[in-house]
Amino acid sequence: MRSLDGRWRTVVLGVLVCVVSTGSLPAQTVKVLPQVNLRRHGAPAADYSGITRIGTDRYALVSDKAPVDGYYPLRLRIDSLTGRVLSVAVEPLRPVASQPKATSGYTSRDVEGVAYMPGTGTLFISGEGDQEIREYDLEGAPTGRKLRVPPVFGKACIHPNYGFEALTYDPVRERFWTTTENVLRADGHLVSPRNPQSGLLRLQSFGRDLQPGACYAYLTDRPEAERTGRAYAFGVSALTAMLDGSLLVLEREFYVARRYWGSWVQVKIYRVRPSGGEPLTASAASVEEARRKVLPKQLVAEWKSRFNAVNTRLANYEGMCLGPCLADGRQTLVLVSDSQGGAGRAPYRLKDFLRVIIVPPVVE
């Protein structure tokens, strides 16, 4: 394992202590805490699409419609006993200094996922618009480095707007993970109510040298919606690497009704273990091979939010990362939703939410 900067070393080692020292705890269930409205904490409305932890109470947020490349620094304090959010502060987009120059000629990468690499102290941000995963320093400036994405994930190989949505980094095994939101063109028709099948996705890893590593097959659930409505989105919107080597996969289905009333978002979080599965012979392995080697998955949590006359807490969760470990050894997850910049009209405007989930200690 390469040396970590002191700040992140403390975070990682603290979580590792939680993981290995709590084997005697009784069986516990997953706890999904109430949503936290970011606006009530002074955060601006945005299109938050990814989140990663970079320090004890420091996180990085990305927005898929930001005016320049970069990220929003986030300060988030979580109660060490209950997991309840104590305070939230979202800072201005970085790089602040380059905003006036960059805004006029900037073409959005449609950034969706973000992961912190402690060995270099840098962020990697995935773009659905260019199907690239580029490195940035903590001032928000590009370093010029990027992950070497296999050709099978190229922009011409994805269905429009269904490319790299998820990105995470495992600091223990020094490994990135990503996947497309929906199936690649080579793997079949876009999964939707018009094609209500399970979607075959490819979980692609990358080493600390930024070169592609093992690739595994993942099968989504079938869509629940019977029609596409005014708007529709389906697929994997986030990944989170757990410190035991497993991955949490966030499957999200977003149905927007024709008249908006009756819209809903279904969220399911599954755990898979790549180390217990069989990797594909290549990132572009055949569909037949991939379906034979699909990773088993275990449901961790699920919920459904709705939009109607009495409920306006609809939340399209697109970002997920590890939060702090609680005093009793349980692990927190932090999720962030995309409100499309606060779309709609008051009092029915969409809101940006944070949600904390508490999961039992990981026991090998």
Side-chain angles (χ1 to χ4, degrees):
M1 181 173 176
R2 296 177 68 185
S3 61
L4 308 180
D5 63 84
R7 182 176 59 239
W8 187 255
R9 184 186 298 112
T10 300
V11 174
V12 172
L13 291 180
V15 176
L16 283 173
V17 169
C18 292
V19 170
V20 302
S21 65
T22 54
S24 60
L25 286 179
Q28 298 166 314
T29 58
V30 172
K31 189 172 184 179
V32 179
L33 300 185
Q35 298 180 144
V36 175
N37 188 339
L38 286 177
R39 185 178 180 183
R40 293 180 181 174
H41 292 267
D47 299 75
Y48 300 122
S49 53
I51 185 171
T52 190
R53 192 179 182 206
I54 60 177
T56 302
D57 61 354
R58 298 171 60 238
Y59 297 76
L61 283 170
V62 293
S63 168
D64 58 23
K65 293 182 179 63
V68 296
D69 266 0
Y71 74 100
Y72 293 89
L74 166 69
R75 295 275 183 174
L76 173 63
R77 291 179 56 242
I78 293 176
D79 186 278
S80 63
L81 297 178
T82 65
R84 183 173 62 88
V85 171
L86 298 176
S87 65
V88 179
V90 179
E91 300 175 16
L93 179 68
R94 293 186 183 179
V96 176
S98 65
Q99 282 190 40
K101 294 181 181 179
T103 301
S104 60
Y106 176 68
T107 301
S108 172
R109 294 183 58 221
D110 190 8
V111 298
E112 298 287 354
V114 58
Y116 179 63
M117 188 178 188
T120 58
T122 55
L123 296 168
F124 283 77
I125 300 176
S126 59
E128 199 171 42
D130 57 15
Q131 280 298 97
E132 293 187 349
I133 301 172
R134 304 181 189 177
E135 183 184 47
Y136 298 78
D137 63 28
L138 291 185
E139 295 304 314
T143 68
R145 299 203 310 161
K146 58 185 178 182
L147 300 188
R148 190 63 62 89
V149 174
V152 66
F153 294 103
K155 186 174 180 180
C157 300
I158 65 169
H159 292 281
N161 298 318
Y162 278 111
F164 287 146
E165 186 93 8
L167 181 66
T168 188
Y169 182 73
D170 179 346
V172 178
R173 293 151 197 85
E174 299 181 298
R175 187 177 301 162
F176 292 94
W177 290 96
T178 189
T179 190
T180 51
E181 183 179 3
N182 209 305
V183 300
L184 295 168
R185 289 183 182 275
D187 291 333
H189 296 294
L190 191 70
V191 178
S192 73
R194 295 190 181 98
N195 180 38
Q197 306 297 319
S198 297
L200 177 65
L201 305 185
R202 296 167 189 259
L203 299 174
Q204 178 66 54
S205 68
F206 297 83
R208 69 185 187 190
D209 59 359
L210 314 187
Q211 299 299 315
C215 185
Y216 294 83
Y218 178 87
L219 202 62
T220 71
D221 288 353
R222 293 170 178 262
E224 203 174 283
E226 297 179 351
R227 57 185 66 87
T228 55
R230 178 179 290 269
Y232 181 81
F234 175 88
V236 170
S237 62
L239 296 172
T240 296
M242 302 295 284
L243 295 176
D244 67 341
S246 64
L247 286 174
L248 296 185
V249 183
L250 193 161
E251 293 189 25
R252 177 267 287 121
E253 184 176 8
F254 186 9
Y255 168 76
V256 181
R258 289 292 178 186
R259 298 183 181 276
Y260 298 108
W261 305 117
S263 300
W264 50 265
V265 179
Q266 175 75 47
V267 174
K268 299 178 183 179
I269 300 175
Y270 288 98
R271 185 195 297 269
V272 296
R273 298 183 181 276
S275 62
E278 187 177 357
L280 304 180
T281 53
S283 300
S286 69
V287 173
E288 291 75 16
E289 178 189 342
R291 288 193 175 275
R292 289 198 308 271
K293 298 180 177 180
V294 167
L295 291 173
K297 63 182 186 180
Q298 174 190 12
L299 183 65
V300 173
E302 67 174 319
W303 66 88
K304 195 171 192 176
S305 60
R306 301 177 184 276
F307 187 79
N308 52 46
V310 296
N311 188 343
T312 60
R313 298 180 67 81
L314 183 84
N316 175 26
Y317 284 98
E318 292 199 347
M320 179 175 67
C321 72
L322 288 180
C325 201
L326 300 184
D328 62 3
R330 291 177 297 167
Q331 175 68 59
T332 63
L333 300 172
V334 180
L335 288 82
V336 64
S337 70
D338 180 353
S339 71
Q340 296 294 311
R345 297 181 180 179
Y348 303 115
R349 190 179 299 278
L350 293 182
K351 305 171 183 66
D352 295 295
F353 290 108
L354 278 179
R355 168 157 266 168
V356 174
I357 298 176
I358 304 173
V359 297
V362 176
V363 180
E364 291 281 10

